[in-house]
């Protein structure tokens, strides 16, 4: 009994000591939240500024940013996907016959876009870093691809079409990784998922608008002696040029360069929250063009040897393969159901709209619960339902229109939420501005290789059953599920291994310089699940 009483007294003493220590920390302003800000390199004054900012005021600031940054980027993303995928609408309007395409020429024309797109994504982010105003760079490349898209309306042969597609990929390559980087300058990790989902809402909406616009624009068939499919390229290209030019005036660059729509305290808050959540003592917020950036070989090595990035890229490809394959082929699949070209264009809209709302819904829940995995696996599970049924009934698609059309809708609801989830999951777990910038470009480059695969799996010679198309899409969905589960395990294992290590112990064991180089492999880094 005496032993038990002694143990209880010791436990009470320890508990009382811990309580007194916590009270002393609070008394001196050293709350856990403030300690976190100090470890990130903020001064005591800056940390107090963040802690004293009411949550209601913080929410107002982010909503103000939402109204300025997100709509413009989402609109740009919409026209980017509209321009890369409208070749599918042109296909059922007669482009192949008019310029002499045959066999797999259509698949080649679709895939050539991704060759330049993939090659120039990472270099483009390096170029973006040289610009003081990202809006100038993004606006310029948008105008460039819009001009080339307009030129697609005047191609006379297959070679000219391939050249135009290659150039569109080259100019579009800089937009997505650049816009991802721009979002990280405005939002902390726990607020990126929902904002990224607006991009994919735009991507899905672009598919819907593509069909609606194509159905309307093709009514211009014969005007000026041009075919309807030519007017699709010309009109949509002109719209891209106009929207690209508006970037110079409407797309915000950074909190520091925001102008009068942000008050000084609001600018300070956004800059400090960026440093607190994405920086460290030696990784301060640097504006594009503020100083010359040099590429460090150590960072390149970290990126190229990061197994997490390759697994996340596989999750990305579990979207990009079925997504692009469906986007480029959906008008033809619906036409195979027995509809006319105009009706098929119009009937592409509902599946894309459902995909858009699915992306928003899953991303909202992901941010709400601060957990990515369930809201990636959920959509992928929808693909496991849709593609086997489409494969089974595709040969008799004209006799099973309702079922197959419903499965096309479910497939769209499955593909569009995946990339917003995996993008925010990846970006939030790359420590340091240099690795985040380069790692984002590399991860997206790998993921977009799925676009090349998706361009070739739906073969004209296999219609209407498309065994290669539906089978490959199902296989990539399964591999994406396996990769996502593996990433979650690796992140959880790291967090569990180092959950009890203190900052003092880590510095004593490894040293400050080594910890800095370790980045997201540091025992002090906690992965966002």
């Amino acid at each position: 009994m005496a032993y038990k009483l002694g143990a209880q007294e010791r436990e009470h003493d320890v508990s009382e000591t811990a309580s007194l220590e916590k009270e002393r920390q609070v008394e001196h302003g050293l709350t856990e939240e403030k300690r976190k800000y100090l470890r990130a390199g903020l001064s005591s004054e800056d940390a107090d500024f963040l802690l004293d900012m009411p949550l209601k005021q913080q929410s107002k600031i982010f909503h103000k940013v939402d109204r300025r940054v997100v709509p413009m980027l989402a609109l740009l993303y919409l026209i980017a996907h509209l321009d890369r995928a409208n070749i599918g609408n042109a296909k059922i309007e007669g482009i192949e016959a008019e310029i002499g395409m045959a066999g797999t020429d259509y698949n080649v024309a679709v895939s050539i876009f991704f060759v330049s797109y993939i090659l120039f994504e990472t270099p483009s982010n390096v170029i973006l870093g040289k610009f003081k105003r990202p809006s100038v760079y993004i606006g310029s490349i948008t105008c460039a691809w819009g001009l080339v898209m307009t030129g697609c309306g005047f191609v006379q042969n297959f070679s000219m079409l391939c050249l135009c597609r290659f150039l569109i990929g080259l100019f579009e390559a800089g937009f997505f990784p650049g816009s991802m980087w721009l979002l990280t300058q405005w939002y902390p990790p726990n607020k990126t998922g929902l904002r990224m989902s607006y991009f994919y809402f735009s991507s899905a909406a672009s598919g819907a608008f593509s069909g609606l616009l194509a159905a309307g624009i093709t009514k211009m068939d014969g005007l000026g002696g041009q075919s309807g499919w030519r007017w699709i390229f010309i009109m949509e290209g002109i719209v891209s040029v106009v929207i690209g030019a508006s970037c110079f005036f409407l797309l915000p660059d950074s909190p520091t360069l925001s102008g009068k729509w942000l008050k000084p305290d609001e600018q300070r808050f956004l800059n400090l929250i960026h440093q607190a959540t994405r920086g460290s003592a030696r990784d301060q917020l640097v504006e594009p063009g503020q100083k010359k950036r040099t590429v460090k070989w150590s960072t390149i090595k970290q990126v190229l040897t990061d197994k997490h990035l390759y697994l996340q890229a596989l999750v990305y490809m579990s979207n990009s393969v079925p997504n692009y394959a469906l986007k480029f082929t959906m008008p033809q699949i619906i036409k195979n159901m027995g509809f006319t070209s105009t009706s098929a264009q119009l009937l592409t809209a509902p599946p894309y709209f459902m995909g858009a709302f699915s992306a928003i819904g899953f991303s909202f829940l992901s941010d709400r619960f601060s957990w990515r995995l369930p809201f990636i696996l959920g959509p992928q599970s929808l693909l496991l339902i849709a593609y086997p049924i489409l494969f089974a009934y595709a040969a008799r698609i004209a006799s099973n229109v309702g079922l197959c059309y419903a499965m096309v809708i479910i497939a769209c609801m499955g593909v569009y939420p995946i990339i917003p989830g995996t993008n925010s999951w990846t970006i939030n777990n790359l420590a340091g501005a240099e690795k985040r910038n380069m790692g984002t470009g590399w991860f997206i480059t790998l993921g977009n290789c799925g676009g090349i695969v998706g361009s070739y799996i739906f073969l004209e010679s296999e219609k209407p059953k498309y065994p290669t198309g539906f089978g490959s899409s199902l296989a990539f969905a399964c591999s994406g599920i396996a990769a996502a589960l593996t990433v979650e395990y690796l992140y959880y294992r790291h967090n569990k291994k180092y959950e009890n290590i203190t900052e003092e112990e880590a510095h004593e064991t490894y040293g400050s310089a080594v910890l800095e180089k370790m980045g997201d492999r540091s025992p002090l880094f906690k992965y966002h699940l």
Side-chain angles (χ1 to χ4, degrees):
M1 178 66 71
Y3 173 79
K4 290 183 178 180
L5 289 174
Q8 290 174 353
E9 288 174 358
R10 285 194 296 274
E11 289 177 3
H12 179 269
D13 290 342
V14 171
S15 176
E16 185 176 11
T17 301
S19 178
L20 291 172
E21 177 61 23
K22 187 172 183 180
E23 289 178 6
R24 281 196 293 270
Q25 288 185 1
V26 172
E27 182 180 347
H28 290 87
L30 292 177
T31 61
E32 183 58 35
E33 192 72 11
K34 184 168 183 178
R35 289 171 63 86
K36 182 182 73 174
Y37 289 155
L38 294 177
R39 286 198 299 269
L42 272 64
S43 67
S44 180
E45 180 184 354
D46 287 339
D48 289 335
F49 174 82
L50 287 182
L51 291 170
D52 292 340
M53 176 73 71
L55 291 177
K56 187 175 181 180
Q57 182 62 26
Q58 294 181 32
S59 181
K60 285 183 177 180
I61 294 173
F62 285 121
H63 285 318
K64 185 181 286 190
V65 175
D66 288 340
R67 291 192 294 271
R68 292 275 185 158
V69 177
V70 175
M72 194 65 202
L73 289 177
L75 178 61
L76 289 167
Y77 199 61
L78 186 150
I79 63 168
H81 273 261
L82 194 69
D83 288 343
R84 76 180 61 168
N86 56 15
I87 190 172
N89 304 107
K91 180 177 185 285
I92 65 172
E93 296 296 339
I95 184 175
E96 291 178 297
E98 188 166 337
I99 66 173
M101 295 168 63
T104 59
D105 285 351
Y106 174 75
N107 303 92
V108 173
V110 167
S111 65
I112 198 70
F113 165 90
F114 292 100
V115 174
S116 53
Y117 189 81
I118 290 166
L119 288 175
F120 290 99
E121 275 185 309
T122 302
S124 181
N125 252 24
V126 176
I127 296 172
L128 174 64
K130 308 296 182 182
F131 280 74
K132 183 176 182 180
R133 294 185 57 207
S135 61
V136 172
Y137 180 70
I138 292 175
S140 297
I141 61 176
T142 304
C143 289
W145 88 60
L147 288 171
V148 178
M149 175 54 61
T150 304
C152 283
F154 301 97
V155 298
Q156 298 300 317
N157 54 55
F158 173 63
S159 298
M160 292 176 66
L161 177 64
C162 286
L163 175 61
C164 287
R165 294 282 300 175
F166 182 88
L167 291 175
I168 292 171
L170 185 153
F171 293 121
E172 278 199 28
F175 170 69
F176 185 66
S179 61
M180 291 294 99
W181 177 86
L182 191 60
L183 276 184
T184 64
Q185 305 306 300
W186 290 95
Y187 297 101
N190 67 328
K191 294 187 180 294
T192 56
L194 183 60
R195 276 74 184 184
M196 286 183 186
S197 74
Y198 295 138
F199 282 23
Y200 293 93
F201 181 94
S202 297
S203 173
S206 73
F209 286 124
S210 182
L212 297 173
L213 287 172
I217 293 174
T218 50
K219 300 297 182 183
M220 300 172 67
D221 186 35
L223 183 64
Q226 304 295 334
S227 304
W229 65 265
R230 293 185 183 275
W231 282 112
I232 292 175
F233 292 144
I234 294 169
M235 298 304 295
E236 293 180 2
I238 291 172
V239 170
S240 298
V241 173
V242 172
I243 294 176
S246 70
C247 288
F248 303 137
F249 313 99
L250 300 179
L251 181 62
D253 293 295
S254 67
T256 304
L257 300 175
S258 61
K260 296 181 179 180
W261 64 274
L262 279 179
K263 298 176 183 178
D265 278 356
E266 293 172 337
Q267 293 180 8
R268 183 186 178 191
F269 167 77
L270 291 169
N271 283 328
L272 290 177
I273 202 68
H274 176 96
Q275 183 183 335
T277 57
R278 298 189 185 274
S280 65
R282 295 170 61 187
D283 179 25
Q284 306 297 325
L285 177 63
V286 178
E287 300 296 340
Q290 189 178 68
K291 64 179 182 179
K292 183 178 180 180
R293 295 182 178 180
T294 58
V295 178
K296 293 183 179 179
W297 289 107
S298 59
T299 304
I300 294 176
K301 182 180 178 181
Q302 285 182 357
V303 169
L304 294 179
T305 58
D306 190 338
K307 60 180 178 291
H308 298 159
L309 283 176
Y310 292 96
L311 288 166
Q312 291 284 23
L314 186 54
V315 180
Y316 192 116
M317 290 180 72
S318 73
N319 167 281
S320 60
V321 171
N323 188 355
Y324 284 117
L326 195 61
K327 186 183 287 287
F328 293 133
T329 315
M330 189 189 296
Q332 184 63 57
I333 291 175
I334 295 178
K335 190 177 180 181
N336 292 342
M337 295 178 183
F339 296 101
T340 64
S341 295
T342 300
S343 297
Q345 303 278 26
L346 294 172
L347 286 170
T348 59
Y352 285 122
F353 275 125
M354 293 303 296
F357 289 113
S358 176
I360 293 290
F362 278 106
S363 297
F364 172 80
L365 292 172
S366 179
D367 275 359
R368 173 68 178 80
F369 292 99
S370 296
W371 193 14
R372 306 297 173 190
L373 181 68
F375 307 104
I376 292 174
L377 296 187
Q380 285 172 323
S381 298
L382 295 179
L383 298 180
L384 300 187
I385 297 172
Y387 281 114
I389 294 176
L390 283 171
F391 175 72
Y393 287 93
R396 307 184 302 278
I397 195 168
S399 302
N400 298 276
V401 174
L403 175 64
C404 292
Y405 188 70
M407 290 304 105
V408 170
I409 292 175
I410 290 177
C412 281
M413 293 177 66
V415 295
Y416 281 101
I418 297 172
I419 291 186
T422 192
N423 273 344
S424 56
W425 202 12
T426 302
I427 292 172
N428 292 344
N429 288 309
L430 292 173
E434 290 175 346
K435 185 178 181 183
R436 186 161 53 249
N437 189 24
M438 190 175 297
T440 300
W442 180 235
F443 151 74
I444 294 173
T445 296
L446 293 173
N448 276 322
C449 289
I452 297 178
V453 178
S455 302
Y456 283 98
I457 59 178
F458 280 89
L459 303 172
E460 187 73 11
S461 60
E462 294 184 346
K463 75 174 186 181
K465 194 170 184 179
Y466 298 119
T468 304
F470 292 127
S472 298
S473 297
L474 180 61
F476 272 95
C478 292
S479 66
I481 290 174
L485 289 170
T486 304
V487 169
E488 177 84 355
Y489 167 72
L490 293 174
Y491 286 169
Y492 173 81
R493 186 179 67 176
H494 173 95
N495 292 347
K496 190 70 176 177
K497 181 179 179 180
Y498 297 113
E499 65 178 347
N500 295 319
I501 192 171
T502 66
E503 185 176 2
E504 291 75 16
E505 290 172 340
H507 281 279
E508 183 179 342
T509 303
Y510 298 96
S512 300
V514 173
L515 286 173
E516 191 70 27
K517 289 180 180 179
M518 292 174 74
D520 47 68
R521 295 299 191 273
S522 166
L524 295 179
F525 185 85
K526 183 177 180 181
Y527 284 107
H528 299 267
L529 299 179

